[in-house]
Amino acid sequence: MSSTPSMDEAPVLFEERTAANGMRIGIATLNAPRTLNGFSLPMAHLLLERLQAWADDAGIALVVLQGAGEKAFCAGGDLHSLYKSMQAYRADGSTDVRDNAYAAEFFDVEYRVDYAIHTYPKPILCWGHGIVMGGGIGLMSGASHRVVSERSKLAFPEITVGLFPDVGGSWLLPRVPGKGGLFLALTGATLNAGDAIYAGLADIHIAEADRPTVFEALAGVYWSDDAQRNHAQLTALLQQHASDAATGPLLRNAAGIDALCEGADVADVVAAISALRTEDPWLQTAQATLAAGAPGSARLAWELQKRAEGASLADVYRFEYVAALHCAAHGDFAEGIRALLIDKDRSPKWQPAALAEATPAWAQTFFVSPWDDATHPLADLGATVTERSLA
């Protein structure tokens, strides 16, 4: 077993374990448990570099991605650092979204990590324990083998902070059965393990107590340099430890959610969800989150899912990148973080304050790119790889 030096304080811990026949397993552990492994820019740089190195290393058979601590794999992005960058940008009075250098770099590297995972040439096992939200789903969603446990709680809660489900969410959520993905974007509703699998955001349920046993078993496999064979071997190993996950409220309410989300415009859908009378606590929480959330975020989520129709994953990351920088520059993102994490008054002053003001024309301003196709910072995504399709 070998590992990088001075590890305890590193944002990501890297380890290589030698398996039965000398092939190695690369293990990356997000190492910020006090912030629920909030995904930071240093984390993103370290992970991208190591993923690229492991992809090129013929001795690495597969990669494992996990989070430190008992509470979370990754609860989302590093919002405090983004908030500071937005405050500085707005104080400077700039009107060019490119001038927030930190936000531009953060979303660039984060999306590159996510895309690298989606298109990785070797199996990636992501152990999605505890809280997996926003940026955490971005990391987990592209892994070839996505494990959830009885502790897993997945969500895209961006409407509560004035953003939208980014990190490929505009591509992922339309692939949720029925209209479930739109509902999740608008309400930030939390999914248990069973619902995560139903929604296509996870693959297999394994009890959290079995994680050490699974990791030990990984080292006993005769891996090879054949990625397809390794994929099949990993699938078989995980299935040996799998158990049934409890049915979740998204699946239980699927028919009703489809009916609520049938509207021709987001305003119709929001009105239908808001008018629902229910004793279901999960649906009540979803209603409350939508009511308190940013109207602009609801509009952006709707418009972005429409833009993602027929688009490649790489293209989705490119237009989400532009929209995210606009949110950082002049949207509700800073106000949402202020109300939730800085002042903690939970009383954001959204602009626009009502969905009627968040028109399609208003939303289009978030899609205006300061780059052409050739000069976009993410122009190189998809140039040399084949994207895996999510059925």
Side-chain angles (χ1 to χ4, degrees):
M1 182 185 299
S2 63
S3 57
T4 53
S6 63
M7 300 295 280
D8 289 346
E9 299 301 319
V12 187
L13 306 181
F14 297 110
E15 176 186 358
E16 295 179 6
R17 296 185 182 179
T18 302
N21 61 339
M23 294 292 288
R24 289 171 288 125
I25 302 163
I27 302 176
T29 305
L30 305 182
N31 188 38
R34 286 177 291 183
T35 61
L36 302 179
N37 298 317
F39 198 58
S40 65
L41 185 55
M43 275 185 181
H45 276 297
L46 288 168
L47 194 54
L48 183 61
E49 179 183 9
R50 186 57 66 99
L51 285 173
Q52 292 170 340
W54 279 340
D56 295 335
D57 187 337
I60 294 290
L62 71 149
V63 171
V64 176
L65 185 58
Q66 63 177 349
E70 298 181 355
K71 295 182 179 180
F73 164 61
C74 175
D78 177 11
L79 298 183
H80 285 88
S81 295
L82 281 168
Y83 180 77
K84 291 177 183 176
S85 76
M86 288 186 275
Q87 291 295 95
Y89 168 86
R90 296 179 185 197
D92 288 342
S94 175
T95 58
D96 189 329
V97 299
R98 293 171 292 188
D99 287 344
N100 185 336
Y102 179 87
E105 183 181 4
F106 177 84
F107 289 114
D108 181 309
V109 184
E110 181 184 29
Y111 292 4
R112 286 182 182 278
V113 171
D114 295 341
Y115 190 76
I117 293 171
H118 273 279
T119 57
Y120 208 63
K122 301 177 181 182
I124 296 183
L125 164 60
C126 181
W127 197 279
H129 83 289
I131 299 170
V132 187
M133 295 187 179
I137 295 182
L139 292 170
M140 183 176 172
S141 61
S144 61
H145 295 73
R146 303 165 297 178
V147 171
V148 282
S149 76
E150 72 281 0
R151 300 182 187 176
S152 297
K153 296 179 180 180
L154 281 71
F156 276 109
E158 285 80 4
I159 194 166
T160 63
V161 290
L163 190 59
F164 57 89
D166 67 324
V167 295
S170 307
W171 188 83
L172 290 163
L173 289 173
R175 286 163 168 78
V176 175
K179 299 287 185 178
L182 177 60
F183 183 85
L184 296 177
L186 296 176
T187 65
T190 300
L191 307 179
N192 67 3
D195 269 344
I197 294 171
Y198 163 71
L201 298 173
D203 302 304
I204 194 165
H205 175 266
I206 300 177
E208 180 62 27
D210 289 342
R211 190 190 332 190
T213 303
V214 171
F215 280 31
E216 289 175 12
L218 292 174
V221 175
Y222 278 69
W223 305 104
S224 71
D225 58 2
D226 183 334
Q228 188 171 358
R229 179 185 172 193
N230 291 338
H231 187 286
Q233 287 179 295
L234 179 56
T235 298
L237 186 155
L238 295 175
Q239 287 177 342
Q240 291 174 5
H241 299 273
S243 57
D244 292 335
T247 300
L250 179 67
L251 176 54
R252 285 199 303 270
N253 291 287
I257 287 171
D258 287 351
L260 291 172
C261 296
E262 276 296 336
D265 184 73
V266 67
D268 302 322
V269 176
V270 168
I273 296 173
S274 302
L276 177 67
R277 294 188 177 184
T278 178
E279 298 299 319
D280 185 316
W282 184 79
L283 288 172
Q284 290 176 339
T285 299
Q287 285 180 308
T289 302
L290 172 58
S297 292
R299 170 60 68 182
L300 288 173
W302 171 273
E303 298 294 336
L304 283 161
Q305 288 196 26
K306 287 172 58 181
R307 290 175 72 89
E309 293 176 3
S312 70
L313 178 59
D315 283 338
V316 170
Y317 280 121
R318 280 187 275 269
F319 62 66
E320 284 188 351
Y321 181 76
V322 172
L325 291 186
H326 277 289
C327 286
H330 58 82
D332 279 328
F333 196 19
E335 173 63 7
I337 298 173
R338 179 207 65 77
L340 183 67
L341 298 178
I342 307 302
D343 297 337
K344 300 181 180 179
D345 58 27
R346 295 185 177 269
S347 298
K349 296 177 174 58
W350 302 125
Q351 295 294 331
L355 190 55
E357 301 166 28
T359 63
W362 170 88
Q364 291 307 309
T365 64
F366 287 76
F367 308 139
V368 177
S369 177
W371 305 280
D372 59 27
D373 291 346
T375 60
H376 191 293
L378 300 179
D380 58 317
L381 289 192
T384 59
V385 295
T386 300
E387 294 179 6
R388 288 198 305 271
S389 173
L390 288 183

